[in-house]
């Protein structure tokens, strides 16, 4: 009986588990999911948890139940590719596998900025988002929250804070000429204006030189903040960064076209730890996860692997500006205003209640 181990119950890991359990092409296998928490978390909504506009329990999805699935709670320390073993922090226990899927997600990247990691909050895990929430809610009226990074997470967090804490000042530092500069001009101009109109202080073309306790230095000029939240870049999980394999500048694994590590055909990597042609996203992790299951099915049945893999096609990007407005890109179409916010709410509802 083959033992398949999935490290991480994120979007990619969750999709792989769901597909494996309903597959009619796999026989005689057992499955172990390893995660730190006892539920799948909607990471794309951590900004709302930190801002206080969504409750913790609303961002949880129960893991599947099946007699072939065992769930193990633990914090992965390292992976021995040659011995096919996973080790864990704070224990001598190891977990052996026949096939492994690594879906451990990403971590904040601090770009070598002094004090950034020590003096900023994060929303990269549900535990860290909870800490950010409690810190923000403890700020006295008239206080200041600074957000570093004008990408999707930073913009959504800033907009949500306007609804959760209209009594505090929100400053968004971004190194670009406008926020969301990677999106079409019409979109990022709309979002930039919306934030300004709703009281967010935008600092464009920022250059954060260091952080100290409650102080952020932009071009070496200090700004006091009751809380500083870091959303200015990501990198692969430390476990993947420590593997002796080929990686890109973000520490993500360079994979074969079949999504496994070169020289280790039984070790797949899904999601934010994989170097793919698209920007990391939940949608990408799910699409990649489906391809990984297809490859695993062929391997289990000794079928030849495809010479050419299907191209991953993404449907688009949706973002929120509070609970009533949003933005998005669907194909060549830019969406602004209430429609993309309604669409995002619908997509989230479908995901939570129809996860297979």
């Amino acid at each position: 009986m083959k033992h398949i181990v999935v490290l991480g119950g994120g979007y990619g890991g969750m999709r792989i588990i769901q597909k494996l359990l309903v597959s009619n092409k796999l026989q005689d296998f057992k499955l172990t999911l390893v995660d730190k928490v006892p539920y799948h978390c909607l990471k794309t909504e951590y900004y709302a948890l930190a801002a206080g506009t969504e409750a913790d329990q609303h961002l949880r999805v129960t893991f599947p139940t099946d007699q072939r699935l065992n769930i193990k709670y633990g914090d992965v320390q390292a992976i021995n590719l040659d011995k096919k073993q996973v080790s864990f922090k704070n224990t001598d226990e190891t977990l052996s596998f026949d096939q492994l899927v690594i879906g451990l997600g990403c971590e904040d990247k601090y770009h070598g900025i002094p004090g950034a990691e020590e003096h900023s909050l994060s929303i990269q895990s549900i535990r860290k988002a909870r800490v950010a929430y409690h810190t923000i809610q403890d700020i006295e009226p008239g206080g200041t929250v600074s957000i570093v990074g004008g990408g999707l997470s930073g913009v959504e967090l800033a907009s949500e804070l306007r609804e959760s804490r209209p009594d505090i000042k929100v400053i968004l530092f971004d190194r670009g000429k406008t926020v969301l500069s990677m999106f079409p001009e019409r979109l990022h101009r709309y979002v930039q204006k919306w934030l300004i109109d709703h009281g967010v202080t935008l600092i464009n073309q920022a250059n954060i030189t260091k952080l100290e306790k409650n102080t952020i230095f932009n071009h070496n000029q200090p700004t006091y903040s009751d809380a500083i939240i870091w959303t200015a870049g990501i990198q692969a999980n430390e476990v993947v960064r420590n593997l002796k394999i080929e990686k890109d500048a973000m520490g993500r694994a360079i994979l074969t076209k079949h999504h496994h590590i070169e020289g280790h055909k039984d070790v797949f990597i899904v999601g934010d730890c994989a170097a793919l042609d698209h920007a990391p996203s939940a949608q990408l992790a799910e699409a990649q996860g489906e391809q990984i299951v297809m490859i695993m099915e062929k391997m289990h049945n000794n079928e030849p692997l495809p010479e050419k893999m299907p191209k991953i096609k993404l449907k688009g990007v949706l973002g929120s500006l509070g609970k009533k407005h949003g933005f998005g890109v669907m194909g060549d179409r830019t969406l602004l205003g209430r429609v993309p916010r309604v669409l995002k709410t619908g997509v989230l509802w479908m995901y939570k209640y129809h996860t297979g």
Side-chain angles (χ1 to χ4, degrees):
M1 178 179 289
K2 281 196 172 182
H3 184 203
I4 302 171
V5 174
V6 178
L7 303 181
Y11 292 98
M14 188 78 154
R15 180 58 58 91
I16 287 171
I17 290 169
Q18 292 165 347
K19 291 294 182 180
L20 287 174
L21 292 177
V22 299
S23 175
N24 57 10
K25 298 180 180 180
L26 288 172
Q27 303 293 330
D28 199 30
F29 74 95
K30 64 178 181 178
L31 183 60
T32 299
L33 166 65
V34 177
D35 206 292
K36 296 179 185 178
V37 296
Y39 37 75
H40 168 62
C41 301
L42 305 182
K43 186 177 181 179
T44 59
E45 306 305 300
Y46 284 172
Y47 70 91
L49 171 59
T53 54
E54 285 289 350
D56 188 304
Q57 64 267 30
H58 293 165
L59 305 186
R60 306 176 190 170
V61 176
T62 304
F63 287 136
T65 55
D66 189 284
Q67 62 181 3
R68 295 165 293 175
L69 174 63
N70 175 56
I71 299 176
K72 174 179 175 57
Y73 305 115
D75 194 354
V76 177
Q77 173 73 40
I79 300 165
N80 189 315
L81 297 175
D82 296 321
K83 292 183 178 181
K84 290 192 170 185
Q85 287 184 336
V86 178
S87 59
F88 299 90
K89 295 179 181 178
N90 303 318
T91 178
D92 294 331
E93 182 183 5
T94 60
L95 180 65
S96 298
F97 60 84
D98 295 307
Q99 287 187 308
L100 179 70
V101 177
I102 304 171
L104 294 172
C106 61
E107 301 171 354
D108 290 297
K109 187 172 184 177
Y110 298 100
H111 311 285
I113 297 173
E117 182 173 5
E118 297 84 354
H119 300 299
S120 67
L121 300 167
S122 170
I123 56 171
Q124 284 300 330
S125 72
I126 194 165
R127 292 173 177 172
K128 291 179 178 179
R130 288 179 186 133
V131 173
Y133 162 75
H134 288 295
T135 302
I136 291 169
Q137 296 310 312
D138 285 342
I139 295 173
E140 296 290 334
T144 299
V145 172
S146 288
I147 302 168
V148 182
L152 191 59
S153 295
V155 164
E156 291 188 308
L157 177 58
S159 64
E160 212 80 2
L161 279 173
R162 300 319 301 143
E163 297 190 359
S164 172
R165 293 294 308 268
D167 56 293
I168 63 176
K169 182 178 182 180
V170 178
I171 306 175
L172 180 57
F173 292 88
D174 183 50
R175 65 181 180 178
K177 292 183 178 180
T178 67
V179 296
L180 300 177
S181 56
M182 72 293 293
F183 288 97
E185 182 178 359
R186 180 166 167 251
L187 185 150
H188 65 66
R189 287 189 181 275
Y190 172 84
V191 173
Q192 179 107 348
K193 183 177 185 300
W194 190 97
L195 291 170
I196 293 172
D197 290 346
H198 287 78
V200 175
T201 300
L202 289 183
I203 308 294
N204 295 120
Q205 295 183 301
N207 179 25
I208 307 304
T209 50
K210 67 176 178 177
L211 268 64
E212 295 180 354
K213 182 176 174 58
N214 296 116
T215 306
I216 183 169
F217 290 81
N218 177 37
H219 294 281
N220 294 318
Q221 298 301 309
T223 298
Y224 178 86
S225 300
D226 296 279
I228 302 169
I229 305 175
W230 193 268
T231 65
I234 59 172
Q235 60 185 341
N237 185 281
E238 183 180 17
V239 173
V240 172
R241 300 202 310 272
N242 289 338
L243 290 175
K244 296 185 184 306
I245 60 174
E246 186 180 2
K247 297 180 282 288
D248 67 5
M250 294 172 61
R252 301 179 304 179
I254 305 296
L255 304 175
T256 70
K257 62 185 176 183
H258 299 126
H259 305 295
H260 58 69
I261 296 174
E262 187 70 50
H264 299 276
K265 63 183 179 62
D266 287 318
V267 181
F268 301 88
I269 299 184
V270 67
D272 296 346
C273 289
L276 301 175
D277 293 336
H278 302 277
S281 69
Q283 188 181 164
L284 177 61
E286 291 180 327
Q288 187 198 6
E290 293 187 2
Q291 291 196 354
I292 288 174
V293 171
M294 179 264 289
I295 294 297
M296 294 175 81
E297 289 174 339
K298 291 184 177 298
M299 292 175 69
H300 277 252
N301 291 290
N302 295 315
E303 298 176 8
L305 302 185
E307 289 292 329
K308 186 176 181 180
M309 293 291 288
K311 185 177 180 180
I312 292 179
K313 297 181 180 179
L314 303 181
K315 297 178 181 178
V317 177
L318 294 170
S320 66
L321 295 170
K323 298 303 183 189
K324 295 183 179 179
H325 299 87
F327 54 89
V329 176
M330 307 292 284
D332 295 330
R333 188 178 180 187
T334 297
L335 304 176
L336 306 172
R338 293 183 181 273
V339 171
R341 188 64 181 94
V342 172
L343 286 174
K344 182 179 179 183
T345 301
V347 168
L348 183 62
W349 187 89
M350 286 292 293
Y351 183 87
K352 287 176 67 176
Y353 298 107
H354 297 274
T355 54

